[in-house]
Amino acid sequence: MARIRTTVDGLVYEDDVEPRMLLVQYLRERLGKTGTVIGCDTSNCGACTVHLDGLSVKSCSVLAVQANGSEVLTIEGLERDGQLHPMQQAFHDNHALQCGYCTPGMIMQSIDLLGENPDPSEQEIREGIEGNLCRCTGYQNIVRAVQDAASKMKPGSAPAAESGAKQTVAGGGA
Ligand code: FES
Ligand code: FES
């Protein structure tokens, strides 16, 4: 077992984990963060996307021990004081989901995309989310949602912070 200390959605967790445990397993099975989902488990679909130290990663391709000392942000950490993150709101407003299974990962990836390119073209959006698969929507409304969010998240406006105030939690449970 390996001891890890990780900040997840603004809370600090300390846990003993098996070295082979995946980050997505740690988030779901230890911390109960089931908003991050598993689609393929082979790093193809992007459903499990979270932010690790501010950059999007597929959490089925990262070991929990690799997140030691890092900050993780999941879909569950985006809302602030009852307000959806602008990207969440844009997905809602533009009907950018059907079954919703890809949505957590799609939103996390789209936020990362705008962090790198605040004003992407349609083509740049499509390329930016190409690692995230959606089998329902045909992507059109997802692209519209990202364009909508981009217009509301221009630099200078204040998107939700990567993480909130820290509070230590000893052990995630399970
Ligand atoms: S579950 Fe991680 S990429 Fe599909
Ligand atoms: S909304 Fe169903 S997979 Fe994207």
Side-chain angles (χ1 to χ4, degrees):
M1 297 292 254
R3 188 81 174 161
I4 63 169
R5 180 183 169 90
T6 309
T7 303
V8 181
D9 296 339
L11 292 179
V12 179
Y13 296 89
E14 291 187 14
D15 271 303
D16 293 318
V17 299
E18 287 195 47
R20 65 181 177 177
M21 177 176 253
L22 299 173
L23 179 58
V24 69
Q25 293 173 316
Y26 178 66
L27 293 172
R28 290 176 56 85
E29 297 169 17
R30 287 291 186 87
L31 306 189
K33 297 215 170 257
T34 52
T36 299
V37 297
I38 299 171
C40 66
D41 214 6
T42 54
S43 76
N44 282 305
C45 74
C48 64
T49 302
V50 300
H51 291 185
L52 182 62
D53 291 329
L55 295 175
S56 66
V57 296
K58 294 177 176 177
S59 59
C60 71
S61 64
V62 176
L63 295 169
V65 292
Q66 290 177 291
N68 182 36
S70 293
E71 294 208 10
V72 177
L73 180 67
T74 80
I75 188 77
E76 298 182 41
L78 290 181
E79 169 263 333
R80 286 282 179 278
D81 301 325
Q83 296 287 318
L84 294 177
H85 185 284
M87 189 65 74
Q88 291 174 302
Q89 190 65 53
F91 269 64
H92 178 268
D93 293 345
N94 290 277
H95 310 289
L97 58 130
Q98 289 181 29
C99 81
Y101 203 81
C102 71
T103 310
M106 199 68 84
I107 286 175
M108 300 309 290
Q109 179 61 27
S110 298
I111 293 170
D112 181 74
L113 165 64
L114 293 190
E116 289 184 11
N117 181 358
D119 191 19
S121 66
E122 178 178 341
Q123 184 61 29
E124 288 170 334
I125 292 171
R126 290 183 182 277
E127 289 172 0
I129 61 172
E130 68 183 0
N132 292 68
L133 304 181
C134 175
R135 63 183 185 180
C136 303
T137 65
Y139 298 95
Q140 192 58 44
N141 285 1
I142 292 175
V143 172
R144 283 199 192 104
V146 177
Q147 289 171 321
D148 183 15
S151 71
K152 293 168 179 156
M153 292 171 60
K154 297 276 188 212
S157 65
E162 279 291 305
S163 60
K166 291 181 185 170
Q167 176 184 333
T168 299
V169 179

